[in-house]
Amino acid sequence: MVRYKAIIAYDGTHFHGFQRQPKGRTVQEELEKTLANINNGEPITVFGSGRTDAGVHALGQVIHFDYPQERPVERMRFALDTQTPEDIAVSAVEIVPDTFHARYDVQEKTYHFHVQIQKPRSPFRRHYASYYPYPLDLDKIREALPDLLGTHDFTSFCATGGSIEDKVRTIYQAEMVVSPDGKELTFIFRGNGFLYKMIRILVGTLLKIGNGRMPADSIPAVLAQKDRNAAGPTAHPEGLYLAEVRYKEQVNKE
Amino acid sequence: MVRYKAIIAYDGTHFHGFQRQPKGRTVQEELEKTLANINNGEPITVFGSGRTDAGVHALGQVIHFDYPQERPVERMRFALDTQTPEDIAVSAVEIVPDTFHARYDVQEKTYHFHVQIQKPRSPFRRHYASYYPYPLDLDKIREALPDLLGTHDFTSFCATGGSIEDKVRTIYQAEMVVSPDGKELTFIFRGNGFLYKMIRILVGTLLKIGNGRMPADSIPAVLAQKDRNAAGPTAHPEGLYLAEVRYKEQVNKE
């Protein structure tokens, strides 16, 4: 058995998320179908760095899988890239030690969230950015963003119903970039891990602050309350992209 | 009756083209449905600047229609924009003289054609750019483009089967822009009119030149032959955008 790590991108529009499930097309299922095809019909299990929800996209999701023979990595990449459906791309493949695990070894994840703020709404962005046609004071968002940096209990920014007990996470980067034409905002969050729907609740809260319905300095109090109701609404999934997953250096160097 | 001119954008992916037809969803049909809705169910006919084929997009298609009452243009724009499906946007509405005709008064049209040249193919561009993963010498394309400028008989660049007799058209602009990241080419063509599938055949021919399978100086000979077989293949529809339609100045000033 040879362990392969792959970086994949997908357009989440027509997927019921990453993870295999009884009903609905998923990214994992399509990858496993393709891998079984190139493995003479024998099943191969794919492990992702984490789930993404229905409608959520990926620029740099990472997976690993075990394949019975060693194949040249570029041949493996090309086979996977061309044989998966058009809404999945396989951009890189490498052979990693058997100890590498796409989920357990994650050190950092980066997410992007796109918000379309132009009027009228561009029909080309409807699946690729959330739409926010209301007034926004971007300076208020810029003021609030640094309060998210560092290590905090993010219970207030976690959808209820999850099974994870420890809700302490560290955010290293929390930024907002305005597109040159002013039509779109991109939020960039990099951290050691994110809770269920955390990015979407962070963005929903920041937009509420920008819209003047929450004070710009309210993030510390929201964090302190450890209550989902203290934060803003959950932004729509179509704006969210899993942009990059980083692993411990020794693993990446293999 | 008050005549309205409107500028619309649409994502052509899920349309069988602009023009109403017995089977398949079209842009004209959706616009006419919405107009009938806001006109108490009474039908209103929409005239476009021209057809676009299935899968072809528009950034600035122009239409006109007659509405029984005068309504404030921003209210009309908002009603059309919000009541049409999400893949159509109505970006501008104005009242024009009864003599204005969206098709007959066209003075210039601009088309864009996007070609994705990166490997692997981005899953996000599959409906919005044609994919060309073969070697390209962009300087050869740059050498060929100016030969398209000016007034020519474009029979060689016209799909057979059309009913238009006069195939002489004038091209004012023929350019290629490389995206800053080098992943995509955008061809820009501006002219007084374009024949059926003409832009797609122009792009197919330019890519064939860039790929070295036709000499860079072959455009004049292809034009002279007045034979569709002399030109290159027809590029895919998903790369094509009707970007702008210009009318005679006196009309635009109303």
Side-chain angles (χ1 to χ4, degrees):
Chain A
M1 283 292 175
V2 180
R3 184 155 293 186
Y4 288 84
K5 173 190 174 195
I7 302 176
I8 62 168
Y10 47 85
D11 176 341
T13 308
H14 301 295
F15 288 110
H16 290 247
F18 178 83
Q19 184 166 282
R20 206 185 327 111
Q21 53 176 59
K23 281 189 180 186
R25 181 175 178 258
T26 68
V27 178
Q28 185 183 11
E29 176 197 350
E30 293 290 354
L31 290 167
E32 290 179 347
K33 260 198 248 175
T34 302
L35 276 165
N37 276 344
I38 62 175
N39 190 33
N40 303 312
E42 292 299 311
I44 287 179
T45 303
V46 164
F47 297 85
S49 76
R51 310 175 185 191
T52 54
D53 283 338
V56 173
H57 312 291
L59 305 170
Q61 168 72 291
V62 174
I63 60 165
H64 85 258
F65 58 86
D66 290 329
Y67 196 81
Q69 303 97 36
E70 182 164 338
R71 292 182 61 171
V73 290
E74 175 52 23
R75 196 177 298 177
M76 178 66 91
R77 189 204 67 74
F78 186 80
L80 289 175
D81 184 44
T82 52
Q83 291 180 42
T84 45
E86 276 203 326
D87 43 3
I88 299 176
V90 178
S91 45
V93 168
E94 59 177 319
I95 291 171
V96 289
D98 292 355
T99 52
F100 173 81
H101 195 288
R103 185 166 157 214
Y104 302 140
D105 294 349
V106 171
Q107 199 166 52
E108 278 183 20
K109 279 188 176 182
T110 305
Y111 283 92
H112 295 174
F113 195 100
H114 290 264
V115 183
Q116 192 189 161
I117 55 172
Q118 71 171 320
K119 287 182 211 173
R121 185 173 182 159
S122 162
F124 298 100
R125 299 297 290 161
R126 70 195 191 286
H127 299 309
Y128 306 108
S130 179
Y131 185 50
Y132 197 83
Y134 311 106
L136 275 181
D137 181 341
L138 298 183
D139 283 333
K140 288 188 175 168
I141 298 177
R142 289 188 188 101
E143 193 186 327
L145 278 164
D147 289 338
L148 294 168
L149 295 174
T151 303
H152 305 281
D153 182 319
F154 283 97
T155 300
S156 296
F157 293 95
C158 177
T160 51
S163 57
I164 293 169
E165 292 289 320
D166 178 12
K167 298 198 172 149
V168 175
R169 296 291 182 277
T170 303
I171 296 189
Y172 307 116
Q173 184 185 5
E175 265 184 66
M176 179 181 65
V177 178
V178 185
S179 67
D181 59 12
K183 293 176 176 175
E184 212 162 289
L185 308 177
T186 304
F187 290 93
I188 302 168
F189 294 100
R190 186 166 56 86
N192 67 351
F194 294 91
L195 303 165
Y196 189 49
K197 296 196 179 169
M198 177 167 154
I199 306 279
R200 291 165 57 189
I201 302 169
L202 288 172
V203 171
T205 305
L206 290 164
L207 293 173
K208 195 171 178 180
I209 287 170
N211 190 237
R213 290 177 295 119
M214 265 174 89
D217 61 358
S218 56
I219 296 288
V222 171
L223 286 166
Q225 285 182 70
K226 297 180 191 170
D227 176 3
R228 170 69 188 88
N229 296 314
T234 308
H236 287 192
E238 69 270 17
L240 184 58
Y241 295 71
L242 173 54
E244 195 186 354
V245 187
R246 289 189 202 170
Y247 293 88
K248 297 174 194 95
E249 214 177 316
Q250 64 273 30
V251 173
N252 272 336
K253 277 195 180 159
E254 286 293 330
Chain B
M1 282 294 174
V2 181
R3 184 155 293 184
Y4 287 84
K5 173 191 175 194
I7 302 176
I8 62 168
Y10 47 85
D11 176 341
T13 308
H14 301 295
F15 288 111
H16 290 247
F18 178 82
Q19 185 167 279
R20 206 186 325 112
Q21 54 177 56
K23 281 191 181 183
R25 181 174 179 258
T26 68
V27 179
Q28 186 183 11
E29 176 196 351
E30 293 290 354
L31 290 166
E32 291 180 345
K33 261 198 247 175
T34 303
L35 277 165
N37 276 344
I38 62 174
N39 190 34
N40 303 312
E42 292 298 311
I44 287 178
T45 303
V46 163
F47 296 85
S49 76
R51 310 175 185 189
T52 54
D53 284 339
V56 173
H57 312 291
L59 305 170
Q61 167 72 293
V62 174
I63 60 165
H64 84 258
F65 58 86
D66 291 329
Y67 196 79
Q69 303 98 35
E70 183 164 337
R71 290 181 65 172
V73 290
E74 175 53 23
R75 196 176 299 176
M76 178 66 91
R77 188 203 67 73
F78 186 79
L80 288 175
D81 184 43
T82 52
Q83 291 180 42
T84 45
E86 277 203 325
D87 45 3
I88 300 177
V90 178
S91 45
V93 168
E94 61 177 320
I95 291 171
V96 289
D98 292 354
T99 52
F100 173 82
H101 195 289
R103 184 167 158 213
Y104 301 141
D105 295 349
V106 171
Q107 200 167 51
E108 278 182 22
K109 279 189 176 179
T110 304
Y111 283 92
H112 295 174
F113 194 101
H114 289 264
V115 183
Q116 194 189 158
I117 56 173
Q118 70 171 322
K119 286 181 211 174
R121 185 176 184 157
S122 162
F124 299 100
R125 299 298 290 161
R126 71 195 190 286
H127 299 309
Y128 306 109
S130 180
Y131 185 50
Y132 197 84
Y134 311 106
L136 276 181
D137 181 341
L138 299 183
D139 283 333
K140 288 188 177 169
I141 299 177
R142 289 189 188 101
E143 192 186 328
L145 278 164
D147 289 338
L148 294 168
L149 295 174
T151 304
H152 305 282
D153 182 319
F154 282 97
T155 301
S156 296
F157 294 96
C158 179
T160 50
S163 57
I164 293 167
E165 292 289 320
D166 178 12
K167 297 197 173 149
V168 175
R169 295 291 182 277
T170 303
I171 295 187
Y172 308 116
Q173 185 184 3
E175 267 183 63
M176 179 182 65
V177 178
V178 185
S179 67
D181 59 12
K183 293 177 176 176
E184 211 162 291
L185 307 177
T186 304
F187 290 93
I188 303 169
F189 295 100
R190 186 166 56 86
N192 66 351
F194 293 91
L195 303 165
Y196 188 49
K197 296 195 179 170
M198 179 167 154
I199 305 279
R200 291 166 54 189
I201 301 169
L202 287 173
V203 171
T205 305
L206 290 164
L207 292 174
K208 196 171 176 179
I209 286 171
N211 189 237
R213 289 176 297 118
M214 267 173 87
D217 61 359
S218 56
I219 296 288
V222 172
L223 286 165
Q225 284 182 71
K226 296 178 191 171
D227 176 1
R228 170 67 188 89
N229 295 315
T234 307
H236 287 192
E238 69 270 15
L240 185 57
Y241 295 72
L242 172 54
E244 194 186 356
V245 188
R246 289 189 202 171
Y247 294 89
K248 297 174 193 93
E249 215 176 314
Q250 63 272 30
V251 173
N252 273 336
K253 277 194 177 157
E254 285 292 330

